[in-house]
Amino acid sequence: MIFATLPTGPLEVNCYIIGCEKTMKAAVIDPGGNADRILQRLSELKLQTVMIINTHGHFDHIGGNGDLLKATGAELIIHRDDSILLERAGEHAAAFGLRAEPSPAPTRLLNGDETLQLGELTLQVIHTPGHSPGGVCLYVDDYLFVGDTLFAGSIGRTDLPGGHHQLLIAGIKEKLLPLPENTKVYPGHGPMTTIGEEKLHNPFLS
């Protein structure tokens, strides 16, 4: 699997690029902004973007959606329970003293717990509500892209509209922690971790 990370947007969201080595088809996960930099990296990797996937709909994770869609014609994919947040990006950003443009409408809505095919790569969609109603994680090979569900030593905040602490904890414990301990966890902000590390040391999950 081809893999790259870029910090993007005003809150430095981790944007992830994953690509199939055989077909050179790519997915961009959580383009928080700086679409020009993302497109440059895709060009350097000689990848064709066919999917833009938002792990959830908060403004800091979707800022690059519009420019990437114009440049690539890719599908825009998000869970149906967060699709309304795409058009409310400005309201959400204003609460943080920032500005954001609404995202274009999605072209595919996820139900959760289905799969997406990216060339020869299979991405398992895991619905983990709690940070937002439609938060999802993406599991491919031994990589787990968790958005703002789980962080190194922490969890996503649940005090925003649509947040639910008990749902978040339940989703992490029931759906993520059973994955192999060597699974590499890539969050929406901050450093990567592993499932084994979070099982042992995350104080929110003890």
Side-chain angles (χ1 to χ4, degrees):
M1 185 174 80
I2 300 166
F3 175 65
T5 308
L6 299 88
T8 58
L11 300 186
E12 295 200 324
V13 164
N14 291 327
C15 171
Y16 299 108
I17 295 169
I18 58 173
C20 170
E21 292 182 343
K22 182 171 183 181
T23 65
M24 302 305 285
K25 291 183 177 180
V28 176
I29 301 170
D30 287 346
N34 307 108
D36 54 341
R37 290 178 49 227
I38 299 171
L39 290 166
Q40 179 181 347
R41 191 73 182 107
L42 288 161
S43 176
E44 292 168 352
L45 295 169
K46 298 180 171 56
L47 290 171
Q48 175 197 3
T49 307
V50 295
M51 296 179 190
I52 301 163
I53 308 171
N54 298 142
T55 59
H56 62 292
H58 289 159
F59 81 98
D60 53 323
H61 288 251
I62 66 172
N65 282 1
D67 288 340
L68 283 178
L69 280 172
K70 288 178 188 174
T72 66
E75 285 189 283
L76 177 57
I77 303 172
I78 193 170
H79 192 279
R80 63 177 60 254
D81 291 345
D82 267 20
S83 60
I84 189 67
L85 296 179
L86 297 182
E87 62 189 63
R88 294 180 176 172
E91 300 171 32
H92 185 212
F96 290 82
L98 298 169
R99 297 180 63 185
E101 295 295 322
S103 165
T107 53
R108 192 195 306 193
L109 294 175
L110 298 171
N111 295 308
D113 307 318
E114 65 255 69
T115 59
L116 300 171
Q117 201 65 34
L118 180 67
E120 295 189 336
L121 299 174
T122 300
L123 285 65
Q124 181 182 346
V125 178
I126 305 171
H127 185 205
T128 52
H131 177 65
S132 69
V136 300
C137 301
L138 301 164
Y139 184 45
V140 52
D141 294 341
D142 60 349
Y143 291 71
L144 180 67
F145 302 96
V146 293
D148 288 358
T149 293
L150 178 64
F151 299 105
S154 189
I155 59 171
R157 59 187 294 183
T158 56
D159 59 333
L160 300 171
H164 194 294
H165 182 79
Q166 288 81 8
L167 272 180
L168 184 71
I169 294 296
I172 294 171
K173 288 185 173 182
E174 295 170 10
K175 297 182 180 182
L176 303 187
L177 295 190
L179 296 172
E181 293 194 352
N182 65 348
T183 299
K184 296 183 282 288
V185 176
Y186 290 93
H189 306 267
M192 64 85 64
T193 181
T194 66
I195 288 294
E197 181 71 16
E198 297 315 301
K199 275 184 177 180
L200 284 175
H201 300 298
N202 193 312
F204 295 90
L205 304 177
S206 59

